[in-house]
Amino acid sequence: KAGVTQTPRYLIKTRGQQVTLSCSPISGHRSVSWYQQTPGQGLQFLFEYFSETQRNKGNFPGRFSGRQFSNSRSEMNVSTLELGDSALYLCASSRTGRSSPLHFGNGTRLTVT
Amino acid sequence: DQQVKQNSPSLSVQEGRISILNCDYTNSMFDYFLWYKKYPAEGPTFLISISSIKDKNEDGRFTVFLNKSAKHLSLHIVPSQPGDSAVYFCAASERENAGNMLTFGGGTRLMVKP
């Protein structure tokens, strides 16, 4: 069974630009969550989508947004990039709610210069 | 404020001995706890979980203990193996309908020496 796939693996953008990251969950998984990992703040929850609806949202500014498609694939978008947005962005999928553990992808490393 | 804390950034253990990783939390609404392991350049991998209705859960070499009154959980790895060397994160969620909104600790880097 294929794991969670995130593309691209690495990305370099300039301050002020916008970026879109993609995530393909494990087949059959309907929940997709996004997390940001930075050395200073650790792993922080961005948002979760379930059946194309945002189910939960973390404490991030509105520049961070996401969506989920009918095939459960998800994208997250960051607009007006700031230097502090440099991080590893991790996508995770699970079958339903918290009773089924998260399966993480290997992440997209975003560098903002 | 950090609701989930792992106060030891690193831990070094001899192969074959026990590794004990600790985690403290402040939010009394947390009722489900998990441990994840992370190797460099990979995403975290689920290890073991525990619900607040239990105080212990075992899975092979891994055991998680939960002390609700102290708001403390620990992960025991027995015996430790060099392949266990990784960063370990504890995580918590606070209600059944929270879905997969997890609050993570800062991680503990475990080094198991042969």
Side-chain angles (χ1 to χ4, degrees), chain A residues 8-101:
Chain A
R9 284 298 305 273
Y10 302 93
L11 208 47
I12 300 175
K13 289 285 188 179
T14 304
R15 220 171 7 169
Q17 288 186 313
Q18 68 95 27
V19 68
T20 299
L21 312 182
S22 182
C23 173
S24 293
I26 291 172
S27 178
H29 286 192
R30 295 166 63 192
S31 165
V32 174
S33 307
W34 289 88
Y35 287 81
Q36 180 197 64
Q37 185 181 19
T38 58
Q41 299 294 322
L43 271 157
Q44 291 189 288
F45 173 79
L46 280 156
F47 28 66
E48 180 198 7
Y49 288 86
F50 183 83
S51 294
E52 301 179 65
T53 301
Q54 188 178 83
R55 180 155 71 174
N56 287 293
K57 189 176 191 306
N59 191 24
F60 278 81
R63 300 185 297 105
F64 292 81
S65 63
R67 58 179 175 166
Q68 186 180 32
F69 302 96
S70 57
N71 61 0
S72 292
R73 193 177 69 85
S74 177
E75 288 180 348
M76 69 162 279
N77 185 278
V78 188
S79 63
T80 321
L81 283 166
E82 299 177 0
L83 296 178
D85 297 334
S86 295
L88 179 67
Y89 290 88
L90 291 160
C91 169
S93 74
S94 72
R95 288 193 179 279
T96 53
R98 64 181 191 174
S99 58
S100 51

Side-chain angles (χ1 to χ4, degrees), chain B residues 52-105:
Chain B
S52 61
I53 62 173
K54 292 181 152 187
D55 53 20
K56 177 183 172 182
N57 190 24
E58 281 181 86
D59 185 0
R61 296 186 297 114
F62 302 92
T63 303
V64 57
F65 295 91
L66 175 61
N67 182 333
K68 291 183 287 295
S69 60
K71 293 192 179 67
H72 177 84
L73 66 154
S74 61
L75 174 69
H76 291 208
I77 306 173
V78 184
S80 302
Q81 299 173 354
D84 296 330
S85 297
V87 178
Y88 289 78
F89 292 95
C90 66
S93 72
E94 70 170 81
R95 60 189 187 278
E96 184 57 44
N97 64 355
N100 287 310
M101 185 168 67
L102 298 180
T103 301
F104 280 85

